[in-house]
Coordinates of all heavy atoms in Angstrom, one line a residue:
M17 N 42.4 -25.1 -118.2 CA 43.6 -26.0 -118.1 C 43.1 -27.2 -117.0 O 43.5 -28.3 -117.2 CB 44.8 -25.3 -117.5 CG 46.0 -26.1 -117.4 SD 47.5 -25.2 -116.8 CE 47.8 -24.1 -118.2
A18 N 42.4 -26.7 -116.0 CA 42.0 -27.7 -115.0 C 41.1 -28.7 -115.6 O 41.2 -29.9 -115.3 CB 41.3 -27.0 -113.8
D19 N 40.2 -28.3 -116.5 CA 39.2 -29.2 -117.2 C 40.0 -30.1 -118.0 O 39.7 -31.4 -118.1 CB 38.2 -28.4 -117.9 CG 37.2 -27.7 -117.1 OD1 37.0 -28.1 -115.9 OD2 36.6 -26.8 -117.5
K20 N 41.0 -29.7 -118.7 CA 41.8 -30.5 -119.6 C 42.5 -31.7 -118.7 O 42.6 -32.8 -119.1 CB 42.9 -29.7 -120.3 CG 42.4 -28.9 -121.5 CD 43.6 -28.2 -122.1 CE 43.2 -27.1 -123.1 NZ 44.3 -26.5 -123.7
Y21 N 43.1 -31.2 -117.7 CA 43.7 -32.2 -116.8 C 42.9 -33.2 -116.2 O 43.2 -34.4 -116.2 CB 44.5 -31.4 -115.7 CG 45.3 -32.2 -114.7 CD1 46.5 -32.6 -115.1 CD2 44.8 -32.5 -113.4 CE1 47.3 -33.4 -114.3 CE2 45.6 -33.3 -112.6 CZ 46.8 -33.7 -113.1 OH 47.6 -34.5 -112.2
R22 N 41.7 -32.8 -115.8 CA 40.7 -33.7 -115.2 C 40.2 -34.7 -116.2 O 39.9 -35.9 -115.9 CB 39.5 -33.0 -114.5 CG 39.9 -32.3 -113.3 CD 38.7 -31.7 -112.6 NE 39.1 -30.6 -111.6 CZ 39.0 -29.4 -111.8 NH1 38.4 -28.9 -112.8 NH2 39.5 -28.5 -110.9
S23 N 40.0 -34.2 -117.5 CA 39.4 -35.1 -118.5 C 40.4 -36.2 -119.0 O 40.0 -37.2 -119.7 CB 39.0 -34.3 -119.7 OG 39.9 -33.7 -120.3
G24 N 41.7 -36.1 -118.6 CA 42.7 -37.0 -119.0 C 43.4 -36.7 -120.3 O 43.0 -35.9 -121.2
G25 N 44.7 -37.3 -120.5 CA 45.4 -37.1 -121.7 C 46.1 -35.7 -121.6 O 46.7 -35.3 -122.7
Y26 N 46.1 -35.1 -120.5 CA 46.7 -33.7 -120.3 C 47.4 -33.8 -119.0 O 46.8 -33.8 -118.0 CB 45.7 -32.6 -120.4 CG 46.2 -31.3 -120.4 CD1 46.6 -30.6 -121.5 CD2 46.3 -30.5 -119.2 CE1 47.1 -29.3 -121.5 CE2 46.8 -29.3 -119.1 CZ 47.2 -28.7 -120.3 OH 47.6 -27.3 -120.3
G27 N 48.7 -33.8 -119.0 CA 49.4 -33.8 -117.7 C 50.3 -32.7 -117.5 O 50.1 -31.6 -118.1
Y28 N 51.2 -32.9 -116.5 CA 52.1 -31.9 -116.0 C 52.8 -31.2 -117.1 O 53.0 -30.0 -117.2 CB 52.9 -32.4 -114.9 CG 53.8 -31.4 -114.2 CD1 53.3 -30.4 -113.5 CD2 55.2 -31.5 -114.4 CE1 54.2 -29.4 -112.8 CE2 56.0 -30.7 -113.8 CZ 55.5 -29.6 -113.0 OH 56.4 -28.7 -112.5
G29 N 53.4 -32.1 -117.9 CA 54.3 -31.5 -119.0 C 53.4 -30.7 -120.0 O 53.9 -29.6 -120.4
H30 N 52.2 -31.1 -120.3 CA 51.4 -30.3 -121.2 C 51.1 -28.9 -120.6 O 51.1 -27.9 -121.1 CB 50.0 -31.0 -121.4 CG 50.3 -32.2 -122.2 ND1 50.1 -33.5 -121.6 CD2 50.5 -32.5 -123.5 CE1 50.2 -34.5 -122.5 NE2 50.5 -33.9 -123.6
A31 N 50.8 -29.0 -119.2 CA 50.4 -27.8 -118.5 C 51.7 -26.8 -118.5 O 51.5 -25.6 -118.7 CB 50.0 -28.0 -117.1
K32 N 52.8 -27.3 -118.3 CA 54.1 -26.5 -118.3 C 54.2 -25.8 -119.7 O 54.6 -24.6 -119.8 CB 55.3 -27.4 -117.9 CG 55.4 -27.6 -116.5 CD 56.6 -28.5 -116.1 CE 57.8 -28.5 -117.0 NZ 58.9 -29.2 -116.5
L33 N 54.0 -26.6 -120.8 CA 54.2 -26.0 -122.1 C 53.1 -24.9 -122.4 O 53.5 -23.9 -123.0 CB 54.1 -27.1 -123.2 CG 55.3 -28.1 -123.1 CD1 55.0 -29.3 -124.1 CD2 56.6 -27.4 -123.6
D34 N 51.9 -25.2 -122.0 CA 50.9 -24.2 -122.2 C 51.1 -23.0 -121.3 O 51.0 -21.9 -121.8 CB 49.5 -24.7 -121.8 CG 48.9 -25.7 -122.8 OD1 49.5 -25.9 -123.9 OD2 47.9 -26.4 -122.5
L35 N 51.6 -23.1 -120.1 CA 52.0 -22.0 -119.3 C 53.1 -21.2 -119.9 O 53.1 -19.9 -120.0 CB 52.3 -22.5 -117.9 CG 52.7 -21.4 -116.9 CD1 51.5 -20.3 -116.7 CD2 53.1 -21.9 -115.5
L36 N 54.1 -21.9 -120.4 CA 55.3 -21.2 -121.0 C 54.8 -20.4 -122.3 O 55.2 -19.3 -122.4 CB 56.3 -22.2 -121.4 CG 57.5 -21.6 -122.2 CD1 58.2 -20.6 -121.3 CD2 58.5 -22.7 -122.6
A37 N 53.9 -21.0 -123.1 CA 53.4 -20.3 -124.2 C 52.6 -19.0 -123.8 O 52.8 -18.0 -124.5 CB 52.5 -21.2 -125.1
K38 N 51.9 -19.1 -122.8 CA 51.1 -17.9 -122.3 C 52.1 -16.9 -121.7 O 51.9 -15.7 -122.0 CB 50.2 -18.4 -121.2 CG 49.1 -17.3 -120.9 CD 48.4 -16.8 -122.1 CE 47.0 -16.8 -122.0 NZ 46.3 -16.1 -123.1
I39 N 53.1 -17.3 -121.1 CA 54.1 -16.3 -120.5 C 54.8 -15.6 -121.7 O 55.0 -14.4 -121.6 CB 55.1 -17.0 -119.6 CG1 54.4 -17.5 -118.3 CG2 56.3 -16.2 -119.3 CD1 55.3 -18.4 -117.4
I40 N 55.2 -16.4 -122.6 CA 55.9 -15.8 -123.8 C 54.9 -14.8 -124.5 O 55.3 -13.7 -125.0 CB 56.4 -16.8 -124.7 CG1 57.6 -17.6 -124.1 CG2 56.8 -16.3 -126.1 CD1 58.0 -18.8 -124.8
E41 N 53.6 -15.2 -124.6 CA 52.7 -14.3 -125.4 C 52.5 -13.0 -124.6 O 52.5 -11.9 -125.2 CB 51.3 -15.1 -125.4 CG 50.1 -14.3 -125.9 CD 48.9 -15.0 -125.8 OE1 48.8 -16.2 -125.8 OE2 47.8 -14.3 -125.7
I42 N 52.5 -13.1 -123.3 CA 52.2 -11.9 -122.6 C 53.5 -11.0 -122.3 O 53.5 -9.9 -122.5 CB 51.6 -12.2 -121.2 CG1 50.1 -12.8 -121.3 CG2 51.6 -11.0 -120.2 CD1 49.6 -13.4 -120.0
F43 N 54.6 -11.6 -122.0 CA 55.8 -10.9 -121.7 C 56.8 -10.8 -122.8 O 57.8 -10.1 -122.7 CB 56.5 -11.5 -120.5 CG 55.7 -11.5 -119.2 CD1 55.1 -12.5 -118.7 CD2 55.5 -10.3 -118.5 CE1 54.3 -12.4 -117.5 CE2 54.9 -10.1 -117.4 CZ 54.2 -11.2 -116.9
G44 N 56.5 -11.5 -123.9 CA 57.5 -11.5 -125.0 C 57.7 -10.1 -125.6 O 58.9 -9.6 -125.8
P45 N 56.6 -9.3 -125.8 CA 56.8 -8.0 -126.3 C 57.6 -7.1 -125.4 O 58.5 -6.3 -125.9 CB 55.5 -7.4 -126.6 CG 54.6 -8.6 -126.8 CD 55.3 -9.7 -125.9
M46 N 57.4 -7.2 -124.2 CA 58.2 -6.5 -123.2 C 59.6 -6.9 -123.2 O 60.6 -6.0 -123.0 CB 57.6 -6.6 -121.7 CG 56.3 -5.9 -121.6 SD 55.6 -6.1 -119.9 CE 54.6 -7.5 -120.2
R47 N 59.9 -8.2 -123.3 CA 61.3 -8.6 -123.3 C 62.0 -8.2 -124.6 O 63.2 -7.8 -124.6 CB 61.3 -10.2 -123.2 CG 62.7 -10.7 -123.2 CD 62.7 -12.2 -123.0 NE 64.0 -12.6 -122.8 CZ 64.5 -13.6 -122.1 NH1 63.6 -14.2 -121.2 NH2 65.7 -13.9 -121.9
D48 N 61.2 -8.1 -125.7 CA 61.9 -7.7 -126.9 C 62.3 -6.2 -126.8 O 63.3 -5.8 -127.3 CB 60.9 -7.9 -128.1 CG 60.7 -9.4 -128.4 OD1 61.5 -10.2 -128.0 OD2 59.6 -9.6 -129.1
K49 N 61.4 -5.4 -126.2 CA 61.7 -4.0 -126.0 C 62.9 -3.8 -125.1 O 63.8 -3.0 -125.4 CB 60.4 -3.3 -125.5 CG 60.5 -1.9 -125.5 CD 59.2 -1.2 -125.2 CE 59.3 0.3 -125.7 NZ 58.0 0.8 -125.8
Y50 N 63.0 -4.6 -124.0 CA 64.1 -4.5 -123.1 C 65.4 -5.0 -123.9 O 66.4 -4.2 -123.7 CB 63.9 -5.5 -121.9 CG 65.1 -5.7 -121.0 CD1 65.4 -4.8 -120.1 CD2 66.0 -6.8 -121.3 CE1 66.5 -4.9 -119.3 CE2 67.1 -6.9 -120.6 CZ 67.4 -6.0 -119.5 OH 68.5 -6.1 -118.7
D51 N 65.3 -6.0 -124.6 CA 66.5 -6.3 -125.4 C 67.0 -5.2 -126.4 O 68.2 -5.0 -126.5 CB 66.3 -7.7 -126.1 CG 66.2 -8.8 -125.2 OD1 66.6 -8.8 -124.1 OD2 65.6 -9.9 -125.7
D52 N 66.0 -4.6 -127.0 CA 66.3 -3.5 -127.9 C 67.0 -2.4 -127.1 O 68.0 -1.8 -127.6 CB 65.0 -3.0 -128.6 CG 65.4 -2.0 -129.7 OD1 66.3 -2.3 -130.5 OD2 64.8 -0.9 -129.6
W53 N 66.5 -2.0 -126.0 CA 67.1 -0.9 -125.2 C 68.5 -1.3 -124.8 O 69.4 -0.5 -124.7 CB 66.3 -0.6 -123.9 CG 65.0 0.2 -124.2 CD1 63.8 -0.2 -123.8 CD2 64.8 1.4 -124.8 NE1 62.9 0.7 -124.3 CE2 63.5 1.7 -124.9 CE3 65.8 2.3 -125.4 CZ2 63.1 3.0 -125.5 CZ3 65.3 3.5 -126.1 CH2 64.0 3.7 -126.0
M54 N 68.7 -2.6 -124.4 CA 70.0 -3.0 -124.0 C 71.0 -3.0 -125.2 O 72.2 -2.8 -125.0 CB 70.0 -4.4 -123.4 CG 69.3 -4.5 -122.1 SD 69.9 -3.4 -120.8 CE 68.8 -2.1 -120.9
R55 N 70.5 -3.1 -126.3 CA 71.4 -3.0 -127.6 C 71.7 -1.6 -127.9 O 72.6 -1.3 -128.7 CB 70.7 -3.7 -128.8 CG 70.8 -5.2 -128.7 CD 70.4 -5.8 -130.0 NE 69.0 -5.5 -130.4 CZ 67.9 -6.2 -129.9 NH1 68.0 -7.3 -129.2 NH2 66.8 -5.8 -130.5
H56 N 71.0 -0.6 -127.4 CA 71.0 0.8 -127.6 C 71.1 1.6 -126.3 O 70.3 2.5 -126.1 CB 70.0 1.3 -128.6 CG 69.8 0.6 -129.8 ND1 68.9 -0.5 -129.9 CD2 70.4 0.7 -131.0 CE1 69.0 -0.9 -131.2 NE2 70.0 -0.3 -131.8
P57 N 72.2 1.4 -125.6 CA 72.2 2.0 -124.2 C 72.4 3.6 -124.3 O 71.8 4.3 -123.4 CB 73.5 1.4 -123.6 CG 74.3 1.0 -124.7 CD 73.3 0.6 -125.8
D58 N 72.9 4.1 -125.4 CA 73.0 5.6 -125.5 C 71.6 6.2 -125.7 O 71.3 7.3 -125.2 CB 73.9 6.0 -126.6 CG 75.4 5.6 -126.4 OD1 75.8 5.6 -125.2 OD2 76.1 5.5 -127.4
D59 N 70.8 5.5 -126.5 CA 69.4 6.0 -126.6 C 68.7 6.0 -125.4 O 67.9 6.9 -125.0 CB 68.7 5.2 -127.7 CG 69.2 5.4 -129.1 OD1 70.0 6.3 -129.3 OD2 69.0 4.5 -130.0
L60 N 68.8 4.9 -124.6 CA 68.1 4.8 -123.3 C 68.6 5.9 -122.4 O 67.7 6.5 -121.7 CB 68.4 3.4 -122.8 CG 67.8 3.0 -121.4 CD1 66.3 3.2 -121.4 CD2 68.2 1.7 -121.0
R61 N 69.9 6.1 -122.3 CA 70.4 7.2 -121.5 C 69.8 8.5 -121.7 O 69.5 9.2 -120.9 CB 72.0 7.3 -121.5 CG 72.6 8.2 -120.5 CD 74.1 8.6 -120.8 NE 74.0 9.4 -122.1 CZ 74.7 9.1 -123.2 NH1 75.5 8.1 -123.2 NH2 74.6 9.8 -124.2
D62 N 69.8 8.8 -123.2 CA 69.2 10.1 -123.5 C 67.7 10.3 -123.1 O 67.4 11.4 -122.7 CB 69.3 10.3 -125.1 CG 70.8 10.3 -125.6 OD1 71.7 10.6 -124.7 OD2 71.0 10.1 -126.8
I63 N 67.0 9.2 -123.2 CA 65.6 9.3 -122.7 C 65.5 9.5 -121.3 O 64.7 10.3 -120.9 CB 64.9 8.0 -123.2 CG1 64.7 7.9 -124.8 CG2 63.5 7.9 -122.5 CD1 64.2 6.7 -125.3
I64 N 66.3 8.8 -120.5 CA 66.3 9.0 -119.1 C 66.6 10.4 -118.7 O 66.1 11.0 -117.8 CB 67.2 7.9 -118.4 CG1 66.6 6.5 -118.6 CG2 67.5 8.3 -117.0 CD1 67.5 5.4 -118.2
L65 N 67.7 10.9 -119.3 CA 68.1 12.3 -119.1 C 67.0 13.3 -119.4 O 66.8 14.2 -118.7 CB 69.4 12.6 -119.8 CG 70.7 11.9 -119.2 CD1 71.9 12.2 -120.1 CD2 71.0 12.3 -117.9
Q66 N 66.4 13.1 -120.5 CA 65.3 14.0 -120.9 C 64.2 13.9 -119.9 O 63.6 15.0 -119.5 CB 64.8 13.7 -122.3 CG 63.6 14.6 -122.7 CD 64.0 16.1 -122.8 OE1 65.1 16.4 -123.2 NE2 63.1 16.9 -122.2
G67 N 63.9 12.7 -119.4 CA 62.8 12.6 -118.4 C 63.2 13.3 -117.1 O 62.4 13.9 -116.4
S68 N 64.5 13.2 -116.7 CA 65.0 13.8 -115.6 C 64.9 15.3 -115.6 O 64.4 16.0 -114.7 CB 66.4 13.4 -115.3 OG 67.0 14.2 -114.2
R69 N 65.2 15.9 -116.8 CA 65.1 17.3 -117.0 C 63.7 17.8 -116.9 O 63.4 18.8 -116.3 CB 65.7 17.7 -118.3 CG 67.3 17.7 -118.3 CD 67.8 18.3 -119.6 NE 67.6 17.5 -120.7 CZ 68.4 16.6 -121.3 NH1 69.6 16.4 -120.6 NH2 68.2 15.9 -122.3
S70 N 62.8 17.0 -117.5 CA 61.3 17.4 -117.5 C 60.7 17.3 -116.1 O 60.0 18.2 -115.6 CB 60.5 16.4 -118.4 OG 60.9 16.6 -119.7
A71 N 61.2 16.3 -115.3 CA 60.6 16.1 -113.9 C 61.2 17.2 -113.1 O 60.5 17.8 -112.3 CB 61.1 14.8 -113.4
K72 N 62.5 17.6 -113.3 CA 63.1 18.7 -112.5 C 62.4 20.0 -112.8 O 62.1 20.7 -111.8 CB 64.6 18.8 -112.8 CG 65.2 19.8 -112.0 CD 66.7 19.9 -112.3 CE 67.4 20.9 -111.4 NZ 68.9 21.0 -111.8
E73 N 62.0 20.3 -114.0 CA 61.4 21.5 -114.4 C 60.0 21.6 -113.7 O 59.6 22.7 -113.1 CB 61.2 21.6 -115.9 CG 60.6 22.9 -116.5 CD 60.5 22.9 -118.0 OE1 61.5 22.5 -118.5 OE2 59.4 23.2 -118.4
I74 N 59.3 20.5 -113.7 CA 57.9 20.4 -113.2 C 58.0 20.6 -111.6 O 57.3 21.4 -111.0 CB 57.2 19.1 -113.6 CG1 56.9 19.1 -115.0 CG2 56.0 18.9 -112.7 CD1 56.5 17.7 -115.5
A75 N 59.0 20.0 -111.0 CA 59.2 19.9 -109.5 C 59.5 21.4 -109.1 O 59.0 21.8 -108.1 CB 60.2 19.0 -109.1
I76 N 60.4 22.1 -109.9 CA 60.7 23.4 -109.4 C 59.6 24.4 -109.5 O 59.4 25.1 -108.5 CB 62.0 23.9 -110.3 CG1 63.3 23.2 -110.0 CG2 62.1 25.4 -110.3 CD1 64.4 23.4 -110.9
K77 N 58.8 24.2 -110.5 CA 57.6 25.1 -110.7 C 56.7 24.8 -109.5 O 56.1 25.7 -108.9 CB 56.9 24.8 -111.9 CG 57.6 25.4 -113.1 CD 56.8 25.2 -114.4 CE 57.6 25.6 -115.6 NZ 56.9 25.3 -116.8
K78 N 56.5 23.6 -109.1 CA 55.6 23.2 -108.0 C 56.1 23.7 -106.8 O 55.4 24.2 -105.9 CB 55.3 21.6 -108.0 CG 54.4 21.2 -106.9 CD 53.0 21.8 -107.1 CE 52.2 21.1 -108.2 NZ 50.8 21.6 -108.3
L79 N 57.4 23.4 -106.5 CA 58.0 23.8 -105.2 C 58.0 25.4 -105.0 O 57.7 25.9 -103.9 CB 59.5 23.4 -105.1 CG 59.6 21.8 -104.8 CD1 61.0 21.5 -105.1 CD2 59.0 21.5 -103.5
N80 N 58.2 26.1 -106.1 CA 58.1 27.6 -106.0 C 56.6 28.0 -105.7 O 56.5 29.0 -105.0 CB 58.6 28.2 -107.3 CG 60.1 28.2 -107.4 OD1 60.8 28.2 -106.4 ND2 60.7 28.2 -108.6
L81 N 55.7 27.4 -106.4 CA 54.3 27.7 -106.1 C 54.0 27.4 -104.6 O 53.3 28.3 -103.9 CB 53.4 26.9 -107.0 CG 51.8 27.0 -106.8 CD1 51.4 28.5 -107.0 CD2 51.1 26.1 -107.6
I82 N 54.4 26.4 -104.1 CA 54.1 26.0 -102.7 C 54.9 26.9 -101.8 O 54.2 27.5 -100.8 CB 54.6 24.5 -102.4 CG1 53.7 23.5 -103.2 CG2 54.6 24.2 -100.9 CD1 54.2 22.1 -103.2
H83 N 56.0 27.3 -102.1 CA 56.8 28.3 -101.3 C 56.1 29.6 -101.2 O 56.0 30.2 -100.2 CB 58.2 28.4 -102.1 CG 59.2 29.1 -101.2 ND1 59.6 30.4 -101.4 CD2 59.9 28.6 -100.2 CE1 60.5 30.7 -100.5 NE2 60.8 29.7 -99.8
E84 N 55.5 30.0 -102.4 CA 54.8 31.3 -102.3 C 53.5 31.2 -101.6 O 53.1 32.1 -100.8 CB 54.5 31.7 -103.8 CG 55.7 32.2 -104.6 CD 55.3 32.4 -106.0 OE1 54.2 32.5 -106.4 OE2 56.3 32.7 -106.8
Q85 N 52.8 30.1 -101.7 CA 51.5 29.9 -101.1 C 51.6 29.8 -99.5 O 50.6 30.1 -98.9 CB 50.8 28.7 -101.7 CG 50.2 29.0 -103.1 CD 49.5 27.8 -103.6 OE1 49.5 26.7 -103.1 NE2 48.8 28.1 -104.8
V86 N 52.7 29.3 -99.1 CA 52.8 29.3 -97.6 C 53.4 30.5 -97.0 O 53.7 30.7 -95.9 CB 53.7 28.0 -97.1 CG1 53.0 26.8 -97.5 CG2 55.1 28.2 -97.6
G87 N 53.7 31.5 -97.9 CA 54.0 32.8 -97.5 C 55.5 33.1 -97.2 O 55.9 34.0 -96.5
L88 N 56.4 32.2 -97.8 CA 57.8 32.4 -97.6 C 58.3 33.4 -98.6 O 57.7 33.5 -99.7 CB 58.5 31.1 -97.8 CG 58.2 29.9 -96.8 CD1 58.9 28.6 -97.2 CD2 58.6 30.4 -95.4
I89 N 59.2 34.2 -98.3 CA 59.8 35.3 -99.1 C 60.8 34.7 -100.1 O 61.7 34.0 -99.7 CB 60.3 36.4 -98.3 CG1 59.3 37.0 -97.4 CG2 60.9 37.4 -99.2 CD1 59.7 38.0 -96.4
G90 N 60.7 35.1 -101.3 CA 61.7 34.7 -102.3 C 61.5 33.3 -102.8 O 60.6 32.5 -102.4
R91 N 62.2 33.0 -103.9 CA 62.0 31.7 -104.5 C 63.3 30.9 -104.2 O 64.4 31.3 -104.6 CB 61.9 31.8 -106.0 CG 60.5 32.4 -106.4 CD 60.5 32.6 -107.9 NE 59.1 32.9 -108.2 CZ 58.3 32.2 -109.1 NH1 58.8 31.2 -109.8 NH2 57.1 32.5 -109.3
P92 N 63.1 29.7 -103.6 CA 64.3 29.0 -103.2 C 64.9 28.2 -104.4 O 66.1 27.8 -104.2 CB 63.7 28.0 -102.2 CG 62.3 27.8 -102.6 CD 61.9 29.2 -103.1
F93 N 64.2 28.0 -105.4 CA 64.7 27.1 -106.5 C 64.8 27.9 -107.8 O 64.0 28.7 -108.2 CB 63.8 25.9 -106.7 CG 63.6 25.2 -105.5 CD1 62.4 25.3 -104.6 CD2 64.6 24.3 -105.0 CE1 62.3 24.6 -103.5 CE2 64.4 23.6 -103.8 CZ 63.3 23.7 -103.1

C-alpha cells in the first residue's frame, strides 16, 4: 500500500477502500457467524448452558482431587 501511494495515482480514498476490503475479508466470516447466533438466541443459550455444565463437572473433579491431595477430610463438592 505504501508503494502504491508513493508511486502516485493512489490516494487516501483508495487506501480506505482497500483497508475496508481487507477488514471485510478477515472479519466478515466472524460477523456472519455472530449475526447467525443473534438470529438464534435459544441455540446460543443452549450451547452456553452445556459449556457451563461441562466446566462445572471438570472443576468439581479438579477441586475434589486438590482437596484430597492436601489432606482435607471429605469431599467438599
